[in-house]
Amino acid sequence: MRPPLLAKSYDHRDFKGAPPDFALLTQHSRDVAAACASLAEVAGPAALEAAGLDAREGERFASTLRLCGWMQDLGKANSDFQAMARGQTQIQQLVRHEVVSGFLVWLDPAIRGWLAPMEEILLVATWGALGHHRKFDDEAGINLGTALTVHAAHEDFATILRDMAADLGLPAPPSFARDFTIGRNRRGDADRAAGPMRQQMVDGFRDAEAAFQGEPARRFVALVKGFGIAADVVASAVARRGVTAARYSLPESIGRSLSTTLTRGDLTALIHRWAWCTYDRDAPADLSQLPPGFSYRPFQERVAASPSRVTLAEAGCGSGKSVAAYLWAREWAARREAAGASGFRLFFCLPTTGTSTEHFKDYALEADVPAELVHSRASVDLHTLATTADQEEDDDEDARAGAARRDRAAPAESALRAVRDKIEALALWDARVAVATADTVLGLMANARRALCALPAIVQSAIVFDEIHAFDDQLFGHLLVFLRNFPGIPVLLMTASLPEARRRALAEVRPDLHVVPGPPDLETLPRYRLVESEGVEACWPEIDGCLRRGGKVLWVRNRVEWANAAYRSARERFQGMSVDVYHSRLRYRDRSRRHRRVIDRFKRAGVPALLVATQVAEMSLDLSADLLVTDEASVPAMIQRLGRLNRRATPESPGSPKRALIVPIAAKRDIAPYGEEEIEASRVWRSGLVKLGRALHQRDLSEQFALIASGRSLDYSAAEEAAVFLGVPERTGLWRTRPGSTRGAGYTVTVLLERDMDAHRREHGARVPAAEWLREHEVSVPIARGVGSWPRVAGLPVAPEDAVTYDYDDSTGEGTGARWRES
């Protein structure tokens, strides 16, 4: 008797005798098809509405998705894949298993003829199946290797075809009397040649692209592919957790997760809790109502009452945009409740780097929303998924998407990184409020793994994109394509200031854009006086004077090493006073403690405090300084930094304007992380502000920015081509599925410290750390050579003690965090 066909590898030490159900190709095929059917039922209507497609397409969408699910892994019935699943991980497949699936359903005469009743949807379903690992396009080639055998005569292969026929209402499937071989070309004894078959298949796909010029057709294809990828992920996750098919139900698991609903009452409680947290009196909080004397601003109510599905709130720092966003979300929750919709959540997206979730963590902690309501509950843990066959997820995304990695990870490490992306995406299915990076949603346009897996949750959501002026051109282009192709998703865009070219581009892709300007009385309140400093040393007397008056000083430096140096000097100068440093080189657990301490110290009236920070202060610290000291930076960064100066001033209690000392960049080599053009534009901007000859308000900052901003139009056609999720016929997307680029390269890498891993091993042995432990102990360090050779745990490099040192005192909460040891 032939051994059963496998879909997944598994640890033979845990399962004696027969393989577990989740590893069997027959069961996995059933699971993926069941996941496709459940996703179409639970989230399909929301997906069609989100993409602006006719609800009557629901049946075709469900049928196409189920067919895609059944076809995805047919090609695993080949000798190369089976050898790898059974432990021969170094074998090189002649072609990937999904390409073999394509050969079978598209080119095998017997199977293609059997699928004739589904010919109308076969093309799109095949494109979905070929792309479910994001590794098929014009570059998908044939590897060097011997001929592989397709186990077409295996009983398991016949069982899958019979199950497929029963599920899809097809006639009896063909049967194969013998296996057949596929070689690289027609030479040798192989029954079929991979090279010519691939070319025949691709030529047919290219010819078919002409029928997909219209946006609705391309959106339909993209939804099938995205949901197909999500189905494969959730099927694997649920099955591995359940092990035996009798112990899990995919419809039940999917239905439970995607029925998660953020209600109007949830958001009311969230807003009330925030309001009571800002209430200075000692009265006990009553979350059923707002604190005495607290009322919403007219600006916030106008945002909430926006009649459009896409709203732009353009207002300065301190105007209450975050509360406005939650009021807006509350209105959409109420509308969804009234419509009887099942499943609703809020994504609050912030413009962080693509390689770090540090700002996400900060906003979960202090961004006008109780941290405990920003949650993620993964339905599986890393350990249960870590044995996925490496060949399924060896990751070339880093190289293609421009991620900042100078040392490529081994395939097994890439597989673990892929697993972490999937776990975090599945956690979003359960979340009611998710504070995340903009990449979590807009990465969808680049076929980013995490965004694709989160797609069923994204289409059920209302989405806030905050600080959109900080998006680079690539990310802003993805935003434009997203808005155009998902007209049914409620979206709130927020910014302190936006160049006219970007505002015009938004209006062109969404004529229904509703703009809510900031409150005039706050926008025109004199807050700042800009002072060009001669240098760092010239700032100390003014810092000293502010602190002696019991004031609060925020000093923003462009680099971590500069911030640490200023912090050490400040501690020596101002002994006995509150002096802190805040940047991304702290473990999250330590950074959270530092964050709380900084916020508390800045709230104490009349008690002096000095905070030295890096750019993380621009969007992650809700504090108000009496004096700002800042290095030169780009105009958007300067506007954000000024938003932390005199932040609490109101028309009722305006106070006096506060000073901002601008420290010039001394040498050209010190301009990074900004470009020369950005710094020059900042100098022109500041010069224009100084010429006004008076105290400045927030509207001055944005109006002067508009005067100097480039008037060039944004190229939507280029943005559309870069959005490979949807794509452009004959260029990107459709039958091609590869990861693109969400944004430019970063400068740091997330690592674990060797000392932390040693402590974990002493307490837990060889057990893989839980996701929560990993998040608490992650720390960012500048990228340097050698990281790729470090041992890894859960996909993260473990920094040796002789390479990275970490400065932090648990007893005092003092320390400057991680840095490379000097050689």
Side-chain angles (χ1 to χ4, degrees):
M1 183 177 178
R2 302 172 78 176
L5 297 177
L6 298 180
K8 306 284 180 182
S9 59
Y10 64 97
D11 192 333
H12 291 257
R13 293 170 298 181
D14 294 336
F15 301 97
K16 308 299 182 183
D21 287 352
F22 70 77
L24 297 174
L25 183 57
T26 50
Q27 187 59 47
H28 180 66
S29 298
R30 296 179 191 119
D31 288 343
V32 175
C36 285
S38 295
L39 286 177
E41 179 181 357
V42 176
L48 296 175
E49 179 184 4
L53 300 178
D54 195 321
R56 290 173 293 185
E57 293 274 30
E59 185 175 344
R60 184 166 74 97
F61 178 70
S63 298
T64 307
L65 187 59
R66 283 163 56 206
L67 179 57
C68 168
W70 277 112
M71 297 191 310
Q72 284 183 11
D73 291 332
L74 272 180
K76 286 184 175 179
N78 79 75
S79 54
D80 282 357
F81 183 91
Q82 293 303 307
M84 296 179 75
R86 286 180 164 82
Q88 298 180 41
T89 55
Q90 300 307 310
I91 194 171
Q92 184 173 26
Q93 299 179 99
L94 180 65
V95 289
R96 289 183 57 88
H97 73 265
E98 58 267 36
V99 178
V100 178
S101 296
F103 290 166
L104 289 170
V105 301
W106 195 252
L107 298 177
D108 184 90
I111 295 179
R112 182 66 182 269
W114 170 57
L115 294 174
M118 309 197 82
E119 188 69 27
E120 182 183 352
I121 62 173
L122 181 61
L123 179 70
V124 175
T126 302
W127 289 353
L130 282 165
H132 79 281
H133 285 297
R134 308 173 308 142
K135 296 181 183 294
F136 188 80
D137 63 2
D138 308 79
E139 298 180 15
I142 312 300
N143 299 320
L144 294 173
T146 58
L148 61 80
T149 299
V150 176
H151 299 302
H154 197 290
E155 177 56 30
D156 287 354
F157 189 81
T159 298
I160 293 170
L161 295 186
R162 287 195 299 270
D163 289 349
M164 189 173 169
D167 185 45
L168 299 175
L170 292 167
S175 60
F176 293 83
R178 67 178 186 88
D179 298 339
F180 60 86
T181 57
I182 298 177
R184 181 175 174 81
N185 48 45
R186 286 194 171 89
R187 299 173 190 160
D189 298 328
D191 298 310
R192 306 181 189 185
M197 284 197 296
R198 182 200 176 280
Q199 193 60 50
Q200 180 185 350
M201 192 163 61
V202 168
D203 287 346
F205 294 163
R206 286 178 175 149
D207 291 342
E209 286 186 90
F212 293 86
Q213 296 291 335
E215 288 178 338
R218 283 183 273 154
R219 293 174 194 168
F220 187 90
V221 173
L223 289 177
V224 168
K225 292 201 295 184
F227 269 56
I229 290 170
D232 180 52
V233 170
V234 72
S236 297
V238 172
R240 275 193 180 271
R241 184 183 59 188
V243 181
T244 303
R247 294 172 53 189
Y248 63 86
S249 167
L250 278 155
E252 180 181 328
S253 295
I254 291 171
R256 182 174 58 251
S257 290
L258 292 179
S259 293
T260 296
T261 301
L262 177 68
T263 68
R264 188 181 193 280
D266 292 333
L267 286 160
T268 296
L270 184 152
I271 297 166
H272 286 186
R273 182 174 300 182
W274 172 85
W276 279 99
C277 287
T278 63
Y279 191 54
D280 292 333
R281 301 180 186 177
D282 295 329
D286 179 3
L287 297 185
S288 68
Q289 60 184 346
L290 291 168
F294 186 99
S295 61
Y296 300 125
R297 298 172 183 172
F299 160 73
Q300 294 167 335
E301 293 175 329
R302 288 196 299 272
V303 171
S306 172
S308 177
R309 284 185 183 264
V310 58
T311 302
L312 171 63
E314 190 170 7
C317 297
S319 58
K321 292 195 297 291
S322 292
V323 172
Y326 290 112
L327 288 171
W328 170 85
R330 187 174 71 171
E331 289 302 305
W332 278 104
R335 294 175 199 178
R336 292 292 175 90
E337 287 176 31
S342 175
F344 178 67
R345 55 190 53 75
L346 173 66
F347 280 78
F348 201 117
C349 299
L350 301 155
T352 68
T353 63
T355 57
S356 172
T357 61
E358 292 298 328
H359 290 181
F360 158 72
K361 295 165 182 173
D362 285 341
Y363 271 82
L365 184 64
E366 287 285 354
D368 293 352
V369 54
E372 61 269 26
L373 289 186
V374 182
H375 59 78
S376 60
R377 300 188 304 273
S379 58
V380 293
D381 62 31
L382 185 64
H383 180 66
T384 61
L385 286 178
T387 55
T388 298
D390 297 339
Q391 59 81 37
E392 287 195 46
E393 297 296 351
D394 54 319
D395 195 357
D396 59 359
E397 181 173 359
D398 290 343
R400 300 178 61 87
R405 295 181 186 273
R406 298 179 184 174
D407 295 281
R408 290 296 310 280
E413 296 158 358
S414 297
L416 284 170
R417 197 160 55 243
V419 167
R420 296 188 74 217
D421 284 346
K422 293 173 182 180
I423 290 172
E424 293 184 5
L426 291 181
L428 295 174
W429 292 23
D430 291 319
R432 288 179 296 164
V433 178
V435 181
T437 69
D439 308 74
T440 301
V441 173
L442 296 181
L444 189 64
M445 298 296 99
N447 281 337
R449 182 191 297 109
R450 188 182 307 176
L452 287 168
C453 295
L455 179 59
I458 290 171
V459 297
Q460 292 184 321
S461 303
I463 302 174
V464 176
F465 292 108
D466 197 6
E467 310 293 359
I468 62 171
H469 62 268
F471 288 12
D472 63 20
D473 287 346
Q474 179 91 349
L475 194 61
F476 195 82
H478 284 332
L479 174 64
L480 294 176
V481 179
F482 180 87
L483 291 174
R484 184 181 181 98
N485 288 279
F486 286 99
I489 295 180
V491 175
L492 173 62
L493 310 170
M494 301 201 300
T495 182
S497 177
L498 197 65
E500 180 58 32
R502 289 195 168 188
R503 187 184 293 104
R504 188 167 57 248
L506 289 171
E508 287 173 356
V509 298
R510 289 297 295 270
D512 60 331
L513 178 71
H514 180 71
V515 181
V516 181
D521 56 347
L522 279 172
E523 299 269 295
T524 58
L525 182 69
R527 293 177 185 268
Y528 324 117
R529 292 191 183 277
L530 299 190
V531 179
E532 298 288 332
S533 173
E534 295 180 359
V536 169
E537 289 302 316
C539 297
W540 287 113
E542 194 150 352
I543 294 172
D544 179 73
C546 183
L547 293 174
R548 290 185 183 278
R549 293 189 297 272
K552 307 294 190 294
V553 179
L554 172 62
W555 190 348
V556 184
R557 307 235 58 188
N558 291 348
R559 298 185 186 176
V560 171
E561 59 268 28
W562 296 353
N564 285 338
Y567 164 71
R568 285 190 286 265
S569 295
R571 290 197 69 191
E572 291 179 4
R573 291 171 181 266
F574 308 119
Q575 295 181 22
M577 290 189 183
S578 298
V579 179
D580 287 293
V581 66
Y582 186 79
H583 50 61
S584 62
R585 305 289 165 76
L586 294 166
R587 294 180 302 185
Y588 174 53
R589 58 185 290 181
D590 304 331
R591 184 170 169 183
S592 297
R593 181 180 176 187
R594 182 74 53 81
H595 194 139
R596 295 187 188 97
R597 187 170 77 177
V598 166
I599 296 299
D600 290 343
R601 285 176 170 179
F602 267 68
K603 284 181 178 179
R604 295 172 190 162
V607 180
L610 167 61
L611 171 64
V612 184
T614 58
Q615 293 91 328
V616 297
E618 295 170 13
M619 287 174 281
S620 65
L621 287 175
D622 182 13
L623 51 77
S624 180
D626 301 303
L627 172 67
L628 172 68
V629 182
T630 174
D631 294 334
E632 286 186 287
S634 67
V635 176
M638 293 296 292
I639 291 175
Q640 288 298 122
R641 295 177 189 188
L642 284 165
R644 270 65 196 165
L645 177 64
N646 203 14
R647 186 177 176 87
R648 307 296 184 223
T650 66
E652 296 77 24
S653 181
S656 59
K658 307 298 184 182
R659 287 164 66 87
L661 307 183
I662 316 300
V663 179
I665 292 175
K668 190 174 180 179
R669 66 177 181 275
D670 293 333
I671 285 179
Y674 303 102
E676 292 184 46
E677 291 184 3
E678 289 179 299
I679 296 301
E680 182 56 36
S682 177
R683 291 169 179 169
V684 172
W685 173 73
R686 300 199 310 272
S687 175
L689 290 171
V690 170
K691 287 178 181 178
L692 294 177
R694 55 172 170 78
L696 304 171
H697 50 64
Q698 291 179 335
R699 191 163 291 178
D700 290 331
L701 307 183
S702 58
E703 289 178 348
Q704 191 65 31
F705 185 27
L707 288 176
I708 69 164
S710 170
R712 62 184 175 85
S713 298
L714 295 172
D715 187 351
Y716 181 79
S717 61
E720 187 177 41
E721 185 172 337
V724 293
F725 174 70
L726 293 143
V728 178
E730 300 180 13
R731 296 183 184 179
T732 60
L734 296 175
W735 60 272
R736 308 167 188 84
T737 309
R738 287 276 191 176
S741 175
T742 303
R743 62 171 89 208
Y747 299 94
T748 62
V749 60
T750 301
V751 304
L752 300 172
L753 301 175
E754 186 176 55
R755 72 184 196 186
D756 288 335
M757 279 309 308
D758 289 343
H760 186 277
R761 291 189 188 101
R762 286 194 297 270
E763 185 174 352
H764 302 285
R767 185 186 307 170
V768 177
E772 188 60 32
W773 187 95
L774 292 169
R775 283 206 169 126
E776 287 185 357
H777 292 83
E778 289 175 346
V779 63
S780 294
V781 296
I783 295 171
R785 291 190 180 278
V787 174
S789 63
W790 290 351
R792 293 185 177 239
V793 172
L796 291 174
V798 178
E801 286 281 353
D802 61 359
V804 173
T805 184
Y806 188 75
D807 174 34
Y808 187 85
D809 188 324
D810 287 319
S811 62
T812 64
E814 302 295 341
T816 55
R819 66 175 176 82
W820 283 87
R821 290 187 184 274
E822 296 181 7
S823 55

